[in-house]
Amino acid sequence: MAEENSSAAGSSSRAQRNKKEKHRRMHMKDLISQLASLIPSRSKLSMPEILDEATRYITHLQKNKESLERRRALLKEEDHTEPTVMNITISGPTLEVNLICGSNRNFMFHEIISVLEEGAAEVINVTQFNSGDQIIFSVQSKAINSRIGVETDRVQERLKELIL
């Protein structure tokens, strides 16, 4: 009877190992299938081919990420190297504002117009030139009231605060 119990215990133990092994193989198959769905491939691949292709694809992604990070760092450096140049010319009742800035410089152009209008100037002409990596703006304005004129000191200070 002891032999029967030990052989029954042995067969149930073997059945459990077989069941665990079958579960492990099914789990590995599912994981490989998920991996295959994440890599660009035009044909059905074997398990070793999937692993090889996934390794190559991950290496490619890592190199691409490093390249993009280097490019991003270079672009950030360029942001700080191009200062904005502003020139204000006053001739009687007219006021001309010329700006030269990098194409990556962001400011709201309507704010410049608002500063001029607050300083009692009416905008009569706006011109924009694109020259490579620079943008040149020219804004011509005149005094709303020729007797009062334009508050040039205030306009200059406000534009410097806004742009420079």
Side-chain angles (χ1 to χ4, degrees):
M1 219 190 233
E3 283 181 31
E4 283 181 28
N5 285 340
S6 68
S7 68
S11 65
S12 75
S13 170
R14 176 177 283 154
Q16 282 183 327
R17 283 194 309 265
N18 288 345
K19 187 176 179 180
K20 282 183 181 180
E21 178 62 20
K22 184 177 181 180
H23 178 70
R24 186 192 68 78
R25 285 193 314 267
M26 293 296 289
H27 184 64
M28 287 296 292
K29 185 178 177 182
D30 289 342
L31 292 173
I32 293 292
S33 177
Q34 288 176 8
L35 182 62
S37 72
L38 296 175
I39 59 173
S41 177
R42 289 176 229 137
S43 62
K44 187 171 181 170
L45 302 172
S46 67
M47 188 184 323
E49 291 171 328
I50 290 170
L51 294 173
D52 188 43
E53 192 64 31
T55 303
R56 274 193 244 124
Y57 186 58
I58 290 169
T59 303
H60 165 75
L61 290 175
Q62 286 173 330
K63 288 178 182 175
N64 191 26
K65 178 186 172 215
E66 290 168 3
S67 172
L68 289 171
E69 286 174 344
R70 282 192 303 271
R71 184 173 175 211
R72 182 180 182 191
L74 286 173
L75 288 173
K76 281 186 176 182
E77 287 175 14
E78 288 175 7
D79 280 351
H80 303 293
T81 58
E82 296 182 33
T84 299
V85 178
M86 180 175 65
N87 181 29
I88 299 176
T89 308
I90 303 163
S91 176
T94 62
L95 177 79
E96 185 174 338
V97 178
N98 294 305
L99 298 172
I100 302 172
C101 60
S103 60
N104 55 358
R105 174 83 165 126
N106 294 324
F107 59 86
M108 300 298 180
F109 197 70
H110 70 88
E111 292 176 336
I112 295 170
I113 305 297
S114 295
V115 168
L116 290 170
E117 289 175 347
E118 289 170 10
E122 176 184 19
V123 175
I124 54 175
N125 188 24
V126 176
T127 309
Q128 174 183 339
F129 303 98
N130 291 340
S131 173
D133 60 346
Q134 291 185 328
I135 301 174
I136 302 168
F137 295 101
S138 179
V139 181
Q140 296 171 342
S141 60
K142 67 176 184 175
I144 293 173
N145 186 332
S146 59
R147 285 186 292 158
I148 298 173
V150 179
E151 297 177 34
T152 55
D153 293 336
R154 183 171 178 228
V155 168
Q156 283 180 323
E157 283 302 313
R158 293 279 319 275
L159 286 175
K160 284 180 183 176
E161 289 172 9
L162 180 67
I163 295 166
L164 302 178

